[in-house]
Amino acid sequence: MPIDAAKAVAAEPRSSEISWDHKDVQLYHLGVGAGLPATDPDELRYTLESRLHVLPSFATVAGAGMALAGGLSAPGVDVNLAHVLHGGQRVEVHRPLPVKGAAVSTSKVQAVYDKGKAAVIVLRSEVADDEGPLWTSDSQIFVRGEGGFGGERGPSARTEIPARDPDRTVDRPIREDQALLYRLSGDWNPLHADPEFAKLAGFDRPILHGLCSYGMTLKAVVDTVLGGDVARVTAYSTRFAGIVFPGETLRIRMWQSPGRVQVTVAAVERDEAQVLADTIVEHS
C-alpha cells in the first residue's frame, strides 16, 4: 500500500532549523505582485528594507522550506509525484512575522483521509523561535488514485457564498514572468516554468503556483480591507479550486463581517473560472 495512514500519522514529528532575512521577504513580496507602482508609499512597505513588514503568507516559503515536499517523504507515504496536487492551505499567525528570523519548524502528518478515488494528507508544521510560537501551517496534499484504503473520509464542508453583492471587488493582473520570479522563493516545480513539462501535465503552457495566487489574494485583502496592516491577520485559509496562467487576471471578491473576510478568486479571461474557493481571512 503506497500510503500507510496509521504509520504516517503515528510517525514522530520531524524538526528542522529555518532562517530568513529581508532579502527573502522582499523577493517573496515581488513574487506575489508587490512593487507596482514602484514608488507608491503603500508598496514600499513590501519592497523597501527600511519600511518592511511581512505578509503572513510568507510563512509558506520561509527558510525555503516546502512543507508539501516534507509530507511526501514522511514514513508510510510512497506516492507518484505526478499524481500529487496541493489541495488547500491554512496559516495561523501567533504574532507578526519578523523581517529577519531563525526558528525551528516541527512537522508531522496530522491526518490521512480517504476520499475514495484519492487520498488527502494533512501536514502540520509548527514554527517557533526563541520568543515562542510564530505560526502553524496546515497543507492539504491531494493524491489521485490513492484512496479506497478504508480510512475516514474527513471534512468536506464548503463555505457558502453570501447572498449579496461583495463589499469589495479588485482585479490583480499577473505578469507574464511572475511564475519565474515566484519560484525563486523555493518551489522549483518545472510545471511553472517549462512549457514541455507543462504539456506533459496536460496544460497548454506553464501555470502559476497556487501559493502565488494565495499570496496575491492575501495582499489584496490586507491592502483594501485591513488598511495595509499585515499585523491584523490572525489566520488565512483556502482551497485550491482551479488554475490560472501568467498573463491572466485574478478577480478577487470580498465579503466583510466582524473579524473575517470571505473571498472568492476567479480567472477573468477564462469566463471567471474558479481559482481559490472556501477562502477566509481572519483578523483582529
Side-chain angles (χ1 to χ4, degrees):
M1 174 68 68
I3 297 180
D4 185 331
K7 184 177 181 180
V9 172
E12 288 294 315
R14 293 191 285 179
S15 296
S16 60
E17 296 182 357
I18 63 172
S19 63
W20 63 93
D21 63 19
H22 70 88
K23 297 186 296 297
D24 303 303
V25 174
Q26 290 164 295
L27 180 61
Y28 173 76
H29 287 164
L30 291 171
V32 297
L36 295 174
T39 58
D40 185 330
D42 291 339
E43 293 301 313
L44 290 174
R45 295 174 300 187
Y46 295 100
T47 59
L48 184 62
E49 54 274 17
S50 60
R51 305 184 190 181
L52 201 59
H53 64 191
V54 185
L55 200 64
S57 53
F58 174 73
T60 60
V61 302
M66 297 303 298
L68 189 90
L72 298 177
S73 62
V77 177
D78 180 15
V79 298
N80 185 341
L81 294 179
H83 296 164
V84 169
L85 297 170
H86 196 163
Q89 183 69 46
R90 175 180 170 83
V91 172
E92 180 180 357
V93 183
H94 305 303
R95 53 190 164 90
L97 275 59
V99 171
K100 180 178 181 179
V104 174
S105 176
T106 302
S107 301
K108 75 180 302 295
V109 174
Q110 189 73 9
V112 181
Y113 297 126
D114 186 348
K115 298 295 187 180
K117 293 183 179 180
V120 172
I121 301 168
V122 180
L123 180 73
R124 173 162 295 176
S125 297
E126 296 182 342
V127 177
D129 63 10
D130 291 341
E131 297 180 20
L134 275 170
W135 70 80
T136 300
S137 174
D138 285 342
S139 301
Q140 296 180 19
I141 304 167
F142 187 88
V143 190
R144 293 172 293 176
E146 298 296 346
F149 54 84
E152 294 182 22
R153 183 165 181 82
S156 58
R158 296 288 182 253
T159 304
E160 187 173 343
I161 297 174
R164 60 182 175 86
D165 290 339
D167 298 298
R168 308 284 185 98
T169 299
V170 298
D171 288 352
R172 290 292 182 265
I174 303 166
R175 300 192 309 272
E176 287 282 353
D177 64 348
Q178 195 150 343
L180 302 179
L181 182 58
Y182 181 84
R183 69 196 300 261
L184 299 180
S185 287
D187 186 342
W188 298 101
N189 188 336
L191 175 63
H192 307 294
D194 184 344
E196 295 303 319
F197 189 93
K199 288 178 182 177
L200 291 174
F203 300 106
D204 293 337
R205 59 191 188 278
I207 64 174
L208 189 69
H209 306 69
L211 283 176
C212 185
S213 299
Y214 180 78
M216 291 181 69
T217 298
L218 182 60
K219 182 178 182 298
V221 172
V222 167
D223 290 346
T224 60
V225 177
L226 303 184
D229 188 354
V230 296
R232 292 183 61 189
V233 178
T234 57
Y236 175 37
S237 57
T238 198
R239 176 171 60 87
F240 299 111
I243 63 164
V244 66
F245 294 97
E248 293 186 334
T249 306
L250 294 178
R251 178 154 294 160
I252 303 168
R253 294 183 171 90
M254 311 171 203
W255 289 263
Q256 298 172 236
S257 57
R260 73 179 225 162
V261 182
Q262 184 172 339
V263 187
T264 63
V265 183
V268 172
E269 289 82 0
R270 284 180 292 109
D271 297 322
E272 298 207 14
Q274 198 172 41
V275 178
L276 301 183
D278 304 326
T279 304
I280 302 292
V281 177
E282 299 171 46
H283 63 85
S284 59

